[in-house]
Amino acid sequence: MSNLATSESPVPPRTEEVLRVMKQYFGFAEFRPRQREIMTDVLAGRDVLAILPTGGGKSLCYQVPALIRPGLTVVISPLIALMKDQVDELEAAGVAATFLNSSIKGEESRSRLAALHQGRIKLLYVAPERVLMDGMLEDLARWNVSLLAVDEAHCISEWGHDFRPEYRQLAKLRESMPDCPFLALTATATDRVRDDICSILNLRDPMRYVASFNRPNLEYTVTRKSGGYEQLLEVVRRWKGESGIVYCQSRKSTESVAEKLRADKVRAAAYHAGLTPAERNLCQEQFKRDQVDVVCATVAFGMGIHKPDVRFVVHYELPKNIESYYQETGRAGRDGLPGECLLLYNPGDLMKQRHFFAEKTPADRALAEKHLRLMASYAETTGCRRAFLLKYFGEVLAEGTCQGCDNCAQSHETYDATLMSQKLLSCVYRIKERSGFSTGLSHTTAVLLGTENDKIREWQHDKISTYGIGKDQSKEAWLAVGRQLIERGFLVLHEERFSVELTLEGREVLLKRLPVVLKRVVDTRFSGRRYSEPSRKERSSRPKSASGDIICDEGLFNRLRTLRRKLSEERGLPPYMIFSDVALRHMAADKPSNDDQFLAVSGVGQRKLVEFGPAFMEEIRLHEAG
Ligand code: ADP
Ligand code: ZN
């Protein structure tokens, strides 16, 4: 058993100190879920595995303890670009931090090492390969390391999505630092990866903290893709001047979509693995600095970006599995303000995806197919999308519905679909009976509608008894019934050929004429539209709406943003490192006019009060006077 001293007392004595330090440096007065337990356990010297979703606030879990513990905190981080951002952000908050990796050489490296030797640094970010190089272990022994944090800890596992062999070497650290608590952090949900992290890092009786993967401020919508670009443009225009990511399948489409957006006066750029490192870096920098609003990217984009104020993520093409989709959408709304996640869905994309994995081995193809099918079910479900995503990660949405997805927001009515179901199921049955093979949902629908086409003639499906018995309904209505019958398990979609067959249950329904109740949409408006109205301003008079929005004086907010941009350019820092949008919205709501009031704003710590308080309070005063 390890050190559990603090958990004996009812109120962990450290909590107050942690809150004080968190406010002093970072300006936050409240914990995000699990942060308190993680920080106090780490301070008590315990090994911890922290599993928090993207935007859950993992960084603070080691940054705050680092400021409380004597000595140095070492943070292992896989991405060079991210290290620099984290250090810049910490320095802006008045924390002595630095990083070491292959990009830091010669004199600069020596001066950083000197600062470390002199004990002038509280947080050191270091790449995994660097930490095991030339005498670093001996250095660490001298630097009085009191906490070791392993960020993106899933990189250690071959079962994770970004396996990095050099992470494996970190096992050596435990031996050389037997007395130092380890904190491993990840947003990865699978048990296998979690177990790998604990065993490879050799964590000692670690506490595992898992926060909910629900992101209440994100709204999930799926829209049938038709004229996809117009649908995208509608979203981009609605979020004019804000940041967003558009995920595309191919390099070519990232470029063509970005070009169209630019022609429509949107500050857009393309990002994919075919760009040179310098081009990619430029794109990321411009995005971080709000010089580019929309990045059209392949999945290569994202890991290296911690931009907290991404307001929308659009999937222009179908992602390959639920896990990637959740990860990619998770990049929206890290700051807790609303984020829109839109999937433009074209069932034809399924076939395209299948082409991509045609060359895989049979086993890999079967797995890819399984993931793809699940992705299609997500797109086609009439149930709560948030509940669907969470279920994938083994979590149950307590309320069952969320009011934050298109399906929950739209009103559905249930209706007696017994007759339609009978017709459709028997059509599936007759087709198989006639031809000895089954067909897809759209062919089945065509038969029901009495359509004349080549296939129907060739296969003589105009001769079967169900031909034309569904003329009283639209094609869409039949497809909707078909999809729900699949979802309910009365039909099964054949994995490869995309054809539908009766299940045992479906057979039962057909033979015993069992009643079937299905759902249909009452309000058929384009679901994405509801974001445009009511607008942010009109939404509510409450300070914070269900989606996390903070209601404030929009005119003042925009003025403060302009000031922030000016200050950020002067300092060469991304705007969000000066103040987050959350902080600016609080300022524009509370209109602080003295230091105490300014310090009460979420995101304002001591250093930022001194450095930026006067300028922002002056701007607020001018706005109020004018
Ligand atoms: P993660 O690494 O888990 O994705 P980050 O550490 O980048 O999350 O934090 C996401 C955002 O949330 C950051 O902008 C951070 O400042 C903010 N944040 C973290 N903890 C809190 C808190 N307790 N209160 C308010 N904001 C927080
Ligand atoms: Zn929902």
Side-chain angles (χ1 to χ4, degrees), residues 22 28 30-32 35 52-60 89 306 308 334-335 602:
M22 187 163 83
F28 303 133
E30 280 163 38
F31 294 108
R32 291 256 176 94
Q35 280 181 329
L52 267 55
T54 305
K58 285 184 278 298
S59 321
L60 239 51
E89 210 170 334
H306 265 203
R334 271 186 154 105
D335 54 9
S602 176

Side-chain angles (χ1 to χ4, degrees), residues 345-413:
Y345 177 57
N346 175 1
D349 283 353
L350 290 168
M351 299 312 272
K352 263 199 238 164
Q353 290 263 10
R354 287 196 177 90
H355 279 299
F356 289 131
F357 52 74
E359 277 143 44
K360 291 182 185 238
T361 65
D364 286 350
R365 193 167 25 178
L367 188 65
E369 178 65 35
K370 194 176 133 204
H371 283 306
L372 192 58
R373 287 252 48 84
L374 209 57
M375 202 57 236
S377 318
Y378 170 80
E380 297 186 3
T381 185
T382 51
C384 174
R385 299 203 201 273
R386 184 183 311 275
F388 188 107
L389 291 174
L390 290 177
K391 189 167 154 228
Y392 180 83
F393 296 111
E395 218 181 294
V396 178
L397 186 66
E399 301 81 18
T401 61
C402 76
Q403 295 315 316
C405 76
D406 51 353
N407 284 337
C408 287
Q410 255 172 350
S411 22
H412 286 275
E413 61 181 15

Side-chain angles (χ1 to χ4, degrees), residues 23 25 76 89 101 114 118 242 282 287 299 327 420:
K23 179 64 203 170
Y25 286 93
I76 311 290
E89 210 170 334
N101 60 35
Q118 290 156 10
E242 305 266 5
L282 179 70
F287 186 57
V299 293
Q327 279 239 348
M420 283 183 84

